[in-house]
Amino acid sequence: LAPPTNMSSKKGGGPAEAPKILHPESRKAKNNVRVQIRKLKKAETKSDSIKRRQPELDRALWFKRVVDSSPKGGYNNKEARRIVEQYIARNDEELNALIALNDAGLDRKQNRLLVLKKLRDDEHNAFQTGTFVGPNILSKPNVKAIREWTGELKTLHHIANRNYKSEDADILAELDQTEAQTQTP
């Protein structure tokens, strides 16, 4: 008899056990398949969640850079609106460069141009209608939370958001109200 060549690291020093072969229709095999499918679905759900929340994360990071660059504890409405307008105009340089390339006949980045235009228009419309959501920089405790935030997606929920509305939209709404009041007898 030849001595066993496959020694395990067990204390007994006997032969190592080969992995068990499962019958494809056994309960154990079905359970293993179910576990693998669940792991894949969880990974897919996590990546979808990250993709879905990426714009919110980018917006919060942009506001964090602005808040970190200023020593102020909180902002008033006028300053907050100005900061939101700066946020909406953040891609204007790239947009103008792409428009210049497009005018010169080099339309290589046509898709990027369309994406940036749509993004700017959507954000501008949301700001005009009062549905633009951004970190609440009017609240001093929230500004402090933004400064202390590490930029991780999992802790983003600690930062309170609010809707911002353009001052022009407020003025137009007041004008509409006054016109409505003067027209009714």
Side-chain angles (χ1 to χ4, degrees):
L1 288 173
T5 57
N6 197 4
M7 302 297 270
S8 75
S9 61
K10 291 183 181 179
K11 195 173 187 180
E17 292 183 26
K20 291 187 177 181
I21 298 174
L22 300 175
H23 191 275
E25 294 180 11
S26 70
R27 285 180 285 178
K28 180 104 175 164
K30 289 179 182 177
N31 188 37
N32 287 345
V33 169
R34 188 171 41 246
V35 166
Q36 292 300 320
I37 290 173
R38 184 169 188 270
K39 284 180 182 178
L40 288 173
K41 284 185 180 180
K42 280 179 72 173
E44 185 179 321
T45 302
K46 186 174 182 178
S47 67
D48 288 347
S49 173
I50 291 171
K51 285 179 187 175
R52 188 181 69 248
R53 294 190 64 197
Q54 190 63 40
E56 182 183 356
L57 179 66
D58 292 342
R59 185 178 310 123
L61 286 169
W62 189 91
F63 275 87
K64 179 177 174 44
R65 283 192 296 272
V66 170
V67 167
D68 285 346
S69 67
S70 172
K72 294 183 86 170
Y75 297 86
N76 61 30
N77 274 330
K78 194 172 192 176
E79 293 168 332
R81 287 176 177 155
R82 182 183 50 78
I83 290 171
V84 170
E85 288 170 353
Q86 288 174 356
Y87 174 77
I88 292 170
R90 73 192 181 282
N91 294 322
D92 283 354
E93 290 179 18
E94 183 181 358
L95 190 61
N96 291 335
L98 290 173
I99 290 172
L101 279 175
N102 204 19
D103 290 344
L106 304 171
D107 55 15
R108 294 183 192 137
K109 304 232 178 185
Q110 189 70 26
N111 289 338
R112 179 73 177 153
L113 176 69
L114 294 174
V115 167
L116 287 177
K117 278 184 178 179
K118 180 158 178 35
L119 180 66
R120 185 188 61 190
D121 292 343
D122 290 348
E123 289 174 346
H124 181 72
N125 290 338
F127 188 50
Q128 293 297 322
T129 60
T131 58
F132 182 87
V133 178
N136 185 1
I137 56 176
L138 301 175
S139 162
K140 287 183 181 183
N142 202 48
V143 170
K144 182 180 176 188
I146 293 170
R147 283 197 176 112
E148 293 172 353
W149 179 53
T150 59
E152 295 177 357
L153 184 61
K154 66 182 180 182
T155 57
L156 182 60
H157 66 277
H158 293 299
I159 297 173
N161 289 323
R162 82 181 294 273
N163 289 343
Y164 291 98
K165 189 173 187 178
S166 171
E167 190 173 356
D168 299 336
D170 288 344
I171 292 170
L172 291 174
E174 289 175 14
L175 287 174
D176 289 342
Q177 288 177 350
T178 55
E179 286 179 12
Q181 290 173 355
T182 57
Q183 290 179 357
T184 55

